[in-house]
């Protein structure tokens, strides 16, 4: 693996399978009474969040702490960034504090790449979502959830998602989750179909390695997983569809549409959900919806990513780390 994780497109099939397999080991740690490993003791992970986040920030924090790293949480609100401090000066401050990894979420697409290639910091950079560009750890946790549900936790080890049919629905235009998923899922052998109103399909999508459809009903029955995306109003500067009702009717997932999915198929959502818009409460709360499971899986994936980036050459979980004195 490379030193940074900026884009899901940087991952080979073997890199991705290694991360998923390592996350499976990490998930077993979560089932123990003591959920901590000594692996990253003495290392410092900085969470640098310039944009709002609930799940991703908490998840990276939990992941770093479960690996015994020191964690510094930095949110732009209430920091000198609101006084106009630049990304460069912020980065130099973190470097002075000896950050081994910087997890960054930023409203500008490309900010993590800038940080990784600038030479301002020496540690690994992990993209936790940049503008409308990418969100690679979200795609990894989604792939992990699909592999567990569609292939099986134990049966999945070493496996990819070959031949699985994944449908991603909604605001593709503004979605970094969709971009990262298209890259990663196709690398893992899945067949991806995007469904959205024409106004929410990105320019140049014909060059993406996936199908595009404007008709949700024609694809739900052929999907192994249907991933619903949030309509991202905060990134919209125009009217992309006539009314919310019209959007929900054509592109929302309700109980009736869900009933047309194959029996084994799952419903996914990265959160936060707009209940009543892209997904009804009935679907969101049904056992077929993996939204909460995705959050739990996010911690395992982020543990795996931090462990592998920060030089995990030895097994992360060994027999001796089944609560040792050290890990207590
Ligand atoms: C997504 C994000 O922030 O890109 N959420 C997440 O990370 N769980 C999707 C969204 O905001 O809709």
């Amino acid at each position: 693996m490379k030193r940074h994780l900026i884009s899901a497109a940087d991952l080979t099939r073997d890199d991705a399978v290694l991360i998923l397999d390592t996350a499976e080991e990490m998930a077993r740690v979560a089932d123990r009474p003591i959920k901590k490993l000594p692996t990253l003791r003495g290392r410092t992970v900085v969470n640098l969040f310039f944009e709002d986040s609930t799940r991703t920030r908490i998840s990276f924090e939990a992941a770093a702490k479960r690996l015994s790293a020191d964690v510094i949480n930095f949110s732009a609100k209430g920091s000198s960034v609101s006084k106009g401090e630049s990304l460069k000066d912020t980065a130099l401050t973190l470097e002075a504090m000896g950050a081994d990894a910087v997890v960054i979420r930023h409203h500008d697409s490309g900010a993590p790449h800038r940080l990784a290639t600038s030479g301002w910091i020496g540690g690994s950079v992990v993209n936790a979502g940049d503008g409308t560009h990418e969100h690679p750890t979200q795609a990894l946790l989604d792939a992990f959830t699909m592999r567990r549900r569609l292939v099986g936790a134990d049966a999945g080890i070493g496996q990819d998602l070959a031949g699985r049919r994944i449908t991603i629905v909604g605001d593709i235009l503004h979605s970094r989750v969709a971009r990262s998923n298209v890259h990663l899922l196709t690398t893992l052998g899945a067949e991806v179909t995007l469904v959205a109103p024409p106004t929410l399909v990105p320019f140049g999508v014909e060059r993406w390695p996936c199908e595009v459809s404007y008709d949700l009903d024609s694809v739900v029955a052929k999907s192994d997983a249907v991933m619903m995306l949030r309509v991202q109003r905060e990134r919209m500067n125009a009217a992309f569809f006539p009314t919310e009702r019209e959007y929900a009717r054509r592109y929302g997932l309700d109980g009736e549409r869900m009933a047309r999915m194959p029996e084994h198929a799952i419903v996914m959502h990265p959160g936060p959900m707009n209940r009543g818009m892209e997904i009804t409460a009935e679907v969101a709360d049904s056992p077929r919806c993996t939204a909460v499971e995705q959050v739990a899986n996010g911690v395992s994936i982020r543990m795996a990513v931090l462990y592998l980036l920060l030089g995990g050459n030895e097994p992360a979980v060994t027999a001796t780390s089944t609560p040792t004195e050290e890990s207590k």
Side-chain angles (χ1 to χ4, degrees):
M1 266 181 57
K2 297 188 175 174
R3 182 154 62 94
H4 309 291
L5 179 57
I6 306 299
S7 160
D10 294 338
L11 299 171
T12 63
R13 180 210 172 265
D14 288 351
D15 289 335
V17 171
L18 174 67
I19 297 171
L20 301 185
D21 289 352
T22 308
E24 240 358 299
E25 289 181 43
M26 299 300 183
R28 282 186 209 124
V29 176
D31 295 335
R32 297 178 184 170
I34 295 164
K35 298 181 175 42
K36 226 170 157 98
L37 292 173
T39 328
L40 294 186
R41 208 163 43 183
R43 318 294 294 274
T44 301
V45 175
V46 177
N47 291 323
L48 185 58
F49 278 66
F50 292 88
E51 205 186 71
D52 295 345
S53 172
T54 306
R55 278 153 282 266
T56 308
R57 193 178 52 74
I58 296 175
S59 173
F60 268 109
E61 182 174 353
K65 285 183 170 161
R66 283 192 193 168
L67 293 170
S68 306
D70 293 324
V71 183
I72 299 173
N73 288 317
F74 175 103
S75 100
K77 279 188 198 127
S79 76
S80 288
V81 170
S82 50
K83 298 181 189 163
E85 187 161 33
S86 67
L87 181 61
K88 178 175 180 176
D89 288 323
T90 308
L92 293 176
T93 304
L94 303 180
E95 181 63 2
M97 288 178 187
D100 295 293
V102 177
V103 175
I104 175 172
R105 168 166 287 198
H106 204 284
H107 38 79
D108 290 338
S109 302
H113 178 260
R114 180 90 182 100
L115 201 59
T117 53
S118 59
W120 300 328
I121 55 166
S124 293
V125 176
V126 183
N127 181 2
D130 61 329
T132 58
H133 177 229
E134 282 230 31
H135 193 354
T137 59
Q138 178 70 42
L140 283 161
L141 76 87
D142 291 336
F144 182 77
T145 306
M146 289 177 211
R147 195 176 77 165
R148 282 195 140 188
R149 284 287 198 118
L150 303 174
V151 187
D154 290 329
I157 298 294
Q159 303 293 313
D160 56 21
L161 293 169
R164 297 304 192 290
R165 290 162 306 177
I166 317 297
T167 303
I168 305 178
V169 190
D171 185 359
I172 312 286
L173 180 65
H174 301 103
S175 179
R176 50 198 180 201
V177 175
R179 272 175 192 71
S180 287
N181 263 297
V182 169
H183 287 307
L184 183 73
L185 293 173
T186 50
T187 300
L188 289 170
E191 292 163 23
V192 180
T193 303
L194 303 177
V195 182
T199 48
L200 289 175
V201 172
F203 181 73
V205 79
E206 57 287 350
R207 290 190 297 276
W208 294 20
C210 57
E211 301 287 317
V212 178
S213 166
Y214 303 113
D215 179 15
L216 183 54
D217 286 317
S218 68
V219 287
V220 279
K222 298 181 279 184
S223 307
D224 296 306
V226 177
M227 184 187 296
M228 304 308 295
L229 298 174
R230 183 174 66 89
V231 174
Q232 301 197 21
R233 294 198 174 285
E234 75 277 20
R235 298 190 208 279
M236 293 188 182
N237 51 9
F240 286 87
F241 45 83
T243 62
E244 289 194 4
R245 229 178 116 122
E246 170 72 3
Y247 181 91
R249 194 178 63 77
R250 298 199 51 184
Y251 297 100
L253 193 62
D254 59 11
E256 208 186 300
R257 276 204 172 107
M258 183 171 71
R260 280 186 244 138
M261 288 166 47
E263 217 172 307
H264 68 271
I266 54 171
V267 175
M268 307 183 69
H269 197 303
M273 293 193 264
N274 284 323
R275 285 168 182 250
M277 181 79 172
E278 71 271 1
I279 191 165
T280 61
E282 179 193 359
V283 175
D285 296 329
S286 91
R288 302 182 75 171
C289 179
T290 59
V292 176
E293 207 174 301
Q294 286 167 260
V295 176
N297 290 341
V299 178
S300 306
I301 278 291
R302 285 157 183 142
M303 285 173 80
V305 165
L306 290 173
Y307 166 73
L308 291 166
L309 289 179
L310 295 184
N313 296 322
E314 286 165 30
V317 187
T318 56
T320 51
S321 53
T322 349
T324 57
E325 276 315 304
E326 236 184 357
S327 58
K328 288 175 191 165

